[in-house]
Amino acid sequence: MSLADEFDGFLVDLDGVVWVGREMVPGSCATLQELLDRGKQLVFVTNNPGKPASTYAERLREAGAGIGEKSIVTAGEVTARLAAAGSERNAFVIGSPAFKATVATTGLELLDGEAAREAGVVLVAGHRDVDYEELLTATLALQRGAKLFATSRDPTLPMPGGAWPGTGAILAAIETATGARAEIGGKPEQHLFEAARERIAGAERVAMIGDRISSDIEGGRRAGLETILVLSGATSREEAESAAPPPDHILESIGDLL
Ligand SMILES: [Mg+2]
């Protein structure tokens, strides 16, 4: 009996579990397809709002796992909905074009330039073109009372050759400048887990598979799920074994589920 047999559904992180940057974790998509063939329900939960769910689904399908975009929940969409649920209607967004498009679909009006200093909400997600002007605009808007939201506090993004600065690193600059504390849409907060559980409603025994203790494992634990840490991403075996509390299971990679 394999570990996979103990569950009928999985929430699966993407970066560091299925792929690292542009490189697939060896065997990951074959494992995902085998899980589907065995009748397991899969929902993907990513703190990375760099691309829309449709792009991630396409990448999974091209790599051999038949996943639809409805099975992918991104911290970007959850955070955007959270920000839009308040009474403020104007937003300043730091993030990728995909994240900005996601925020725009909620009905929030995106401001830029000096007008954005009057925005009622500021949303933050890590992206490759962060600059001082963005930090300045966010800082001034927050000083004027804007509410702050971010997709995660993940300090880094696992990449081939080393970790890159993540949303948490950029958010820290804004929180340091303003003293504001962001509300987080992604893992480990429960908004994203609630959205994911709705999409995996038929599964009773569900495990969270991820590569980061502070988001995947902590969030899964809070959601009442068994937790499986894989060592293909952000966490070393030493860090995994010394975590308090530790994950329920530690695997070299997702392929070891089978
Ligand atoms: Mg990850």
Side-chain angles (χ1 to χ4, degrees):
M1 186 161 150
S2 66
L3 182 57
D5 295 325
E6 296 181 20
F7 304 99
D8 41 33
F10 297 93
L11 304 188
V12 187
D13 177 37
L14 287 171
D15 289 294
V17 177
V18 178
W19 51 59
V20 176
R22 293 172 190 271
E23 296 174 10
M24 303 304 295
V25 170
S28 61
C29 279
T31 301
L32 295 173
Q33 187 56 48
E34 175 65 23
L35 291 170
L36 292 172
D37 292 344
R38 292 189 190 183
K40 310 294 184 189
Q41 292 190 42
L42 303 181
V43 170
F44 295 84
V45 286
T46 179
N47 273 1
N48 188 340
K51 298 277 191 300
S54 58
T55 303
Y56 295 135
E58 192 179 326
R59 198 168 164 200
L60 288 163
R61 283 196 298 273
E62 281 173 4
I67 306 295
E69 67 179 276
K70 290 217 161 24
S71 299
I72 300 175
V73 184
T74 75
E77 62 183 80
V78 175
T79 305
R81 278 203 302 270
L82 204 57
S87 56
E88 299 293 343
R89 300 283 31 111
N90 294 326
F92 176 60
V93 182
I94 295 177
S96 67
F99 182 49
K100 289 180 177 173
T102 300
V103 175
T105 63
T106 66
L108 286 171
E109 185 187 347
L110 274 59
L111 304 180
D112 55 19
E114 296 215 356
R117 298 175 179 182
E118 309 287 340
V121 291
V122 173
L123 296 92
V124 178
H127 71 124
R128 297 278 298 276
D129 300 309
V130 174
D131 66 20
Y132 187 85
E133 247 352 272
E134 289 186 321
L135 302 180
L136 173 61
T137 301
T139 297
L140 293 176
L142 290 162
Q143 283 172 12
R144 290 170 187 174
K147 293 198 176 74
L148 179 60
F149 298 86
T151 51
S152 79
R153 293 187 182 280
D154 292 351
T156 56
L157 185 64
M159 292 295 273
W164 292 13
T167 295
I170 293 149
L171 178 60
I174 295 164
E175 290 186 334
T176 300
T178 58
R181 177 87 177 164
E183 182 167 358
I184 304 297
K187 300 170 284 185
E189 301 306 327
Q190 294 300 295
H191 311 289
L192 183 143
F193 284 91
E194 285 158 15
R197 285 304 293 265
E198 282 173 19
R199 299 190 202 183
I200 202 169
E204 285 182 10
R205 300 168 305 161
V206 178
M208 171 70 215
I209 307 174
D211 69 313
R212 191 180 289 280
I213 300 276
S214 61
S215 54
D216 302 311
I217 302 306
E218 174 62 15
R221 193 182 62 75
R222 283 196 222 162
L225 308 176
E226 272 202 51
T227 55
I228 301 171
L229 183 101
V230 293
L231 300 173
S232 49
T235 307
S236 69
R237 179 171 288 281
E238 193 178 22
E239 290 165 337
E241 289 175 349
S242 63
D248 296 311
H249 309 275
I250 300 172
L251 304 177
E252 286 298 328
S253 77
I254 192 171
D256 292 341
L257 267 179
L258 301 175

Short mmCIF file of all heavy atoms in Angstrom, two decimals, residues 178 221 225:
data_model
loop_
_atom_site.label_atom_id
_atom_site.label_comp_id
_atom_site.label_asym_id
_atom_site.label_seq_id
_atom_site.Cartn_x
_atom_site.Cartn_y
_atom_site.Cartn_z
N THR A 178 5.45 51.71 6.20
CA THR A 178 4.15 52.26 6.64
C THR A 178 3.70 51.79 8.02
O THR A 178 2.80 52.41 8.61
CB THR A 178 3.04 51.83 5.65
OG1 THR A 178 3.01 50.40 5.60
CG2 THR A 178 3.30 52.38 4.26
N ARG A 221 -2.36 22.23 8.01
CA ARG A 221 -2.61 21.83 9.39
C ARG A 221 -3.80 22.62 9.95
O ARG A 221 -4.71 22.05 10.54
CB ARG A 221 -1.35 22.10 10.22
CG ARG A 221 -1.34 21.47 11.60
CD ARG A 221 -0.08 21.86 12.36
NE ARG A 221 0.02 23.29 12.59
CZ ARG A 221 -0.68 23.97 13.48
NH1 ARG A 221 -1.54 23.34 14.24
NH2 ARG A 221 -0.54 25.27 13.62
N LEU A 225 -6.13 19.24 7.62
CA LEU A 225 -5.71 18.23 6.65
C LEU A 225 -4.43 17.54 7.12
O LEU A 225 -3.64 18.11 7.87
CB LEU A 225 -5.43 18.88 5.29
CG LEU A 225 -6.54 19.76 4.73
CD1 LEU A 225 -6.08 20.41 3.44
CD2 LEU A 225 -7.80 18.94 4.48
#
